Amino acid sequence: MKNKRLRWAVPAATAVAVGTAFAIPALATASADELPETTPADLLAAVAQAEPTAMSGTAVYTARLGLPELPAEMTGGADPLNLLSGSSTIRVWTDGAERSRVSLLGTTSEYSAVVDGPEAWTYSSAKNAVVHVSLDDAATAQLDAAKADAQARADAVDPASIPTPEALAEQVLAFASMTSEVTLDDNVVVAGRDAYQLEITPLTDDTLVDRIVVAFDGETYVPLSYQAWSSMDTSAPALEVAFTDVSMDAPSDAALAFSTPDGATVEEKVVTGEDLAAATAPAEGTEGDVPVLPEDFDPSTLDPSALTPGAGFLPEGTSISGFGWATVVEQSGVDVAGLLSGDVDADAADLPASPWAGRPAEDLAEEFRGSAADGGFSLDATALYDQLTTPVEGGRLFTSALLSALVTDDGRVFVGSVPTDTLLAAAGLA
Amino acid sequence: MSHAEATAAPDAAEAPTSRTTAAGPEVREASEASEAPTRRRGAFGRLLRSELGLVLGRRRNQLLLALLASVPILLGIVLAIVSDSAYAGQGPGFIDRIGGNGLFLVVTSLFLCTPFLLPLVTSIAAGDAIAGEAGGGTLRYLLTVPVRRGTLLVAKALAAMTFMLVAVALVTAAALLAGGLLFGFDDLTLLSGQTIPLTDGVLRMLGVAGYVAMSLTGLVAVGLFFSTLAEVPVGVMAATVVVAIVSTVLDSLPQLSAIHPFLLTHHWFDFAEFLRFEVSWSLLGQGLALQAAWVAIFGSLAWARFTTADITS
């Protein structure tokens, strides 16, 4: 009988051995004390000075925003909408300069975005569809001119007057200290690499953001993870992107190149010179140089309200209230119903001349519009809007862990990283 | 059932007395006594050949394999017929790609068979291994063969594993055949949009099949353990299938994300890695390590149970 009992010890021992084997990698990532000590200012200076590096890696993105999940199975394959909620795996390749590829992985699908200098493509394997974004000659010329202009300005500046990265970091920190506390957290290991952790905590309680934690690689100062914690949930970050696997070797040329697959539908989007001019032109009253902080800048003497951009800086119909983390952006004259119904003319008419107007907004509208023409599954924008928002007196509220939005019946939209009560108060509905 | 005799025949001369022993405990003693030097070289090979012949030679198992192999063929024919209709391109997985490249029939067939059909076939083979003998009353005779119970268990496990491998290979071969004949092969367009040459494409499809087969090894071990617990093979087969289904259900609940990495089925669909530009070997390695862990734990459980149980039927 004793022999019998002993035999049952074998599976028990196997279970323990297997458990240990799976736990060892987890334990190995628990501590990182190899990095030299640093300060927030030194870390920021090092990050600012760091050369862009070629790298590739796999990252896991997790959103706990309190929104309904739209997994890849529901969106008919990997789609940016999956990022609203739940976990997604992302792969990244970049040469550190002009070429990059980002892929959102679905179980049996992939959504890729490839950037090569001024050109960009997206490819959805589920729809077998390519979107090619390119610049026309006028836009290319404008971009080149802007580059040359920037280079000329940089050359014209006396090198001695350019602040050192350290001084710049101090300035940035001083600036940030008006709204936030910037501290260093314990070093961590991300994707097997030792990393510094910078923690930014808003000073105000009037925001949904509890803190933001960014981990920078101790060697290359590439950000390896990003966490945004909501004050509504202290157990897990509301938004998290972290590399699980990273390589600092240059990716192969084939990984960064894009070729249109046979049989894929291709949609060409050409950014014209006018588009570019409209998007980059400053609103009236803001022509001129970007303000530079004076040398004897002392943040403690600054009136925070002076930092709120004036009416001239903002596009028509947009205004800003609140300050820092508690900022609320108001946009008036938006016809949400028109946007949702997918009437292109209504879209164009209702989006005022703002930096957000034009292609990206149209793309978004198209994304949500869901046409029956592309076949298979498509989201009903109105249903999605109704599901994401809750009705309140005088409008509809969108609530998430990090961002709130209020659409009033009279066509005003309030957006801010603030509790919904603040938005209602701003709209005069509370 | 002629099986016990067939297996016992080569060794019958060495253990003539134990076949006449009727009571369970004595049988066990006899088999444990046989762990001593009566074993001869080649005994395991004969045992394994006999088990393989049994599993692959059974009419019902052959029928099962034939039905499984018909899945890709039927799928291909249906897709070929509807290719010009409004139904073209609708369906799960890579179904819309098959029309352009028959290679996708392999991955679509495996995609369709992975959630249920392949686990079912695997469960039937693994669940039947010991419980089938016990249910048929032949297990005690089988144990008269002068090999250790552990060795017998390994032979049973390898036979069930082989049956599973044959099932996956048949689906793959039938899909390659049907895909090639009905749609023709072309360079393979990966999920990320890059296109690789046909030879690489075929290799990747074989990689998909290999990974799917390796993913089922854990289920073989689970089925084998269940098989040592009961004497009704149908119940064991059902229980094994249920393990796979429950695991899939648990894997789909985001609330249980903490245990997801340890679930038997968690990495089953990672075979899609072979269709990405850069195959993440570390992810596939995780899947294989997970299966190895399930095999180790349930294999040793099956061994502990089978070598200590009183066999009375």
Side-chain angles (χ1 to χ4, degrees):
Chain A
M1 286 312 280
K2 203 178 169 199
N3 187 20
K4 273 193 177 188
R5 293 239 175 87
L6 271 178
R7 293 200 171 202
W8 283 100
V10 174
T14 311
V16 171
V18 166
T20 318
F22 275 80
I24 283 172
L27 290 176
T29 60
S31 69
D33 307 311
E34 305 294 310
L35 293 174
E37 295 235 344
T38 187
T39 64
D42 288 346
L43 179 58
L44 282 180
V47 169
Q49 260 179 305
E51 293 283 327
T53 44
M55 62 176 288
S56 59
T58 306
V60 172
Y61 166 99
T62 309
R64 301 178 190 87
L65 297 169
L67 302 176
E69 285 218 25
L70 283 173
E73 293 78 47
M74 271 179 71
T75 51
D79 190 285
L81 277 179
N82 305 146
L83 299 176
L84 275 183
S85 190
S87 275
S88 312
T89 305
I90 296 170
R91 296 230 172 105
V92 182
W93 297 260
T94 178
D95 69 350
E98 294 215 303
R99 306 172 75 197
S100 301
R101 173 188 281 270
V102 180
S103 286
L104 175 65
L105 308 189
T107 310
T108 53
S109 54
E110 206 167 309
Y111 182 91
S112 316
V114 180
V115 179
D116 188 347
E119 274 187 295
W121 296 264
T122 68
Y123 175 66
S124 161
S125 77
K127 296 183 183 129
N128 200 16
V130 174
V131 177
H132 178 207
V133 182
S134 56
L135 302 176
D136 71 354
D137 291 344
T140 311
Q142 272 186 37
L143 211 64
D144 289 345
K147 265 188 204 161
D149 187 38
Q151 188 60 45
R153 278 196 211 189
D155 290 344
V157 173
D158 176 13
S161 75
I162 300 175
T164 60
E166 287 80 8
L168 203 64
E170 289 286 356
Q171 278 196 350
V172 169
L173 268 185
F175 199 71
S177 68
M178 286 186 298
T179 57
S180 328
E181 188 187 3
V182 181
T183 53
L184 279 183
D185 229 347
D186 291 338
N187 295 343
V188 285
V189 175
V190 183
R193 298 179 69 92
D194 293 345
Y196 293 111
Q197 272 201 119
L198 194 71
E199 187 175 312
I200 302 156
T201 314
L203 293 177
T204 170
D205 285 336
D206 299 332
T207 172
L208 293 173
V209 181
D210 182 61
R211 63 185 190 279
I212 286 171
V213 184
V214 188
F216 293 99
D217 182 46
E219 204 180 302
T220 59
Y221 297 101
V222 172
L224 292 180
S225 86
Y226 171 91
Q227 293 179 333
W229 292 72
S230 163
S231 50
M232 286 153 72
D233 180 6
T234 50
S235 60
L239 209 62
E240 184 175 20
V241 192
F243 277 105
T244 56
D245 185 20
V246 78
S247 155
M248 294 298 170
D249 300 330
S252 71
D253 190 60
L256 296 169
F258 186 87
S259 61
T260 303
D262 281 345
T265 58
V266 181
E267 189 185 345
E268 290 286 345
K269 285 183 188 283
V270 180
V271 177
T272 63
E274 292 96 74
D275 287 343
L276 202 63
T280 53
E284 269 178 57
T286 56
E287 279 94 348
D289 287 328
V290 177
V292 179
L293 289 178
E295 261 177 60
D296 54 349
F297 171 71
D298 179 6
S300 57
T301 61
L302 197 78
D303 173 16
S305 60
L307 289 170
T308 305
F313 180 77
L314 294 167
E316 202 187 323
T318 306
S319 63
I320 286 177
S321 59
F323 161 68
W325 295 93
T327 302
V328 174
V329 180
E330 177 190 346
Q331 171 77 51
S332 57
V334 181
D335 177 10
V336 174
L339 275 175
L340 292 174
S341 69
D343 180 350
V344 183
D345 294 336
D347 292 0
D350 290 320
L351 282 172
S354 75
W356 300 290
R359 306 268 164 202
E362 274 173 30
D363 289 350
L364 196 70
E366 214 158 284
E367 185 74 52
F368 275 82
R369 197 180 297 150
S371 64
D374 41 283
F377 182 89
S378 60
L379 281 167
D380 178 2
T382 313
L384 188 68
Y385 173 69
D386 285 348
Q387 199 192 351
L388 287 175
T389 57
T390 50
V392 290
E393 204 179 321
R396 292 190 76 91
L397 258 182
F398 165 84
T399 321
S400 74
L402 289 176
L403 193 76
S404 302
L406 171 67
V407 181
T408 62
D409 294 340
D410 55 6
R412 290 176 298 159
V413 178
F414 295 81
V415 181
S417 200
V418 294
T420 49
D421 291 347
T422 313
L423 290 185
L424 289 170
L429 293 176
Chain B
M1 191 146 305
S2 63
H3 166 57
E5 284 172 34
T7 314
D11 298 299
E14 284 128 37
T17 51
S18 57
R19 287 185 71 194
T20 56
T21 320
E26 278 125 314
V27 171
R28 195 189 75 242
E29 277 160 29
S31 87
E32 277 178 6
S34 72
E35 289 172 17
T38 46
R39 281 194 309 142
R40 285 201 311 208
R41 287 174 68 94
F44 180 70
R46 280 201 298 279
L47 185 64
L48 186 60
R49 266 202 303 281
S50 154
E51 287 300 331
L52 284 176
L54 187 73
V55 169
L56 295 173
R58 268 189 188 138
R59 195 55 54 83
R60 59 168 191 240
N61 284 356
Q62 290 169 348
L63 192 65
L64 200 62
L65 289 178
L67 283 173
L68 201 63
S70 70
V71 169
I73 297 170
L74 286 175
L75 185 68
I77 291 173
V78 167
L79 288 174
I81 290 171
V82 303
S83 61
D84 291 326
S85 74
Y87 293 107
Q90 289 186 23
F94 308 89
I95 232 162
D96 55 329
R97 302 290 188 83
I98 297 172
N101 188 348
L103 272 186
F104 277 104
L105 190 59
V106 176
V107 67
T108 307
S109 301
L110 288 170
F111 178 79
L112 290 176
C113 290
T114 295
F116 189 71
L117 279 179
L118 283 174
L120 183 70
V121 168
T122 308
S123 301
I124 286 174
D128 200 39
I130 306 292
E133 301 277 0
T138 49
L139 185 55
R140 55 182 167 163
Y141 300 112
L142 185 56
L143 289 179
T144 61
V145 178
V147 292
R148 291 182 204 187
R149 285 191 183 187
T151 312
L152 178 64
L153 190 71
V154 169
K156 285 284 186 190
L158 287 178
M161 206 80 89
T162 308
F163 185 71
M164 178 268 287
L165 287 174
V166 169
V168 175
L170 266 180
V171 172
T172 310
L176 275 175
L177 194 72
L181 288 178
L182 292 168
F183 307 103
F185 292 147
D186 202 354
D187 293 349
L188 185 68
T189 300
L190 300 172
L191 291 175
S192 40
Q194 284 108 331
T195 302
I196 56 169
L198 179 58
T199 45
D200 286 3
V202 173
L203 280 179
R204 282 182 182 243
M205 287 303 149
L206 295 181
V208 169
Y211 183 79
V212 167
M214 295 312 288
S215 299
L216 291 165
T217 52
L219 195 63
V220 172
V222 173
L224 201 64
F225 172 56
F226 287 177
S227 193
T228 61
L229 293 176
E231 294 181 357
V232 184
V234 175
V236 174
M237 295 170 194
T240 313
V241 175
V242 165
V243 167
I245 292 171
V246 167
S247 174
T248 312
V249 171
L250 296 181
D251 202 28
S252 66
L253 296 176
Q255 290 85 351
L256 295 174
S257 57
I259 64 162
H260 283 177
F262 309 108
L263 289 174
L264 181 64
T265 58
H266 183 62
H267 290 286
W268 273 12
F269 286 98
D270 287 356
F271 66 75
E273 264 323 295
F274 284 103
L275 295 174
R276 306 196 194 280
F277 173 67
E278 269 179 10
V279 179
S280 168
W281 298 109
S282 69
L283 188 68
L284 294 178
Q286 281 173 30
L288 296 183
L290 181 72
Q291 293 302 321
W294 279 77
V295 167
I297 292 175
F298 279 87
S300 60
L301 277 173
W303 174 81
R305 165 72 190 172
F306 190 58
T307 54
T308 58
D310 290 338
I311 308 292
T312 56
S313 58

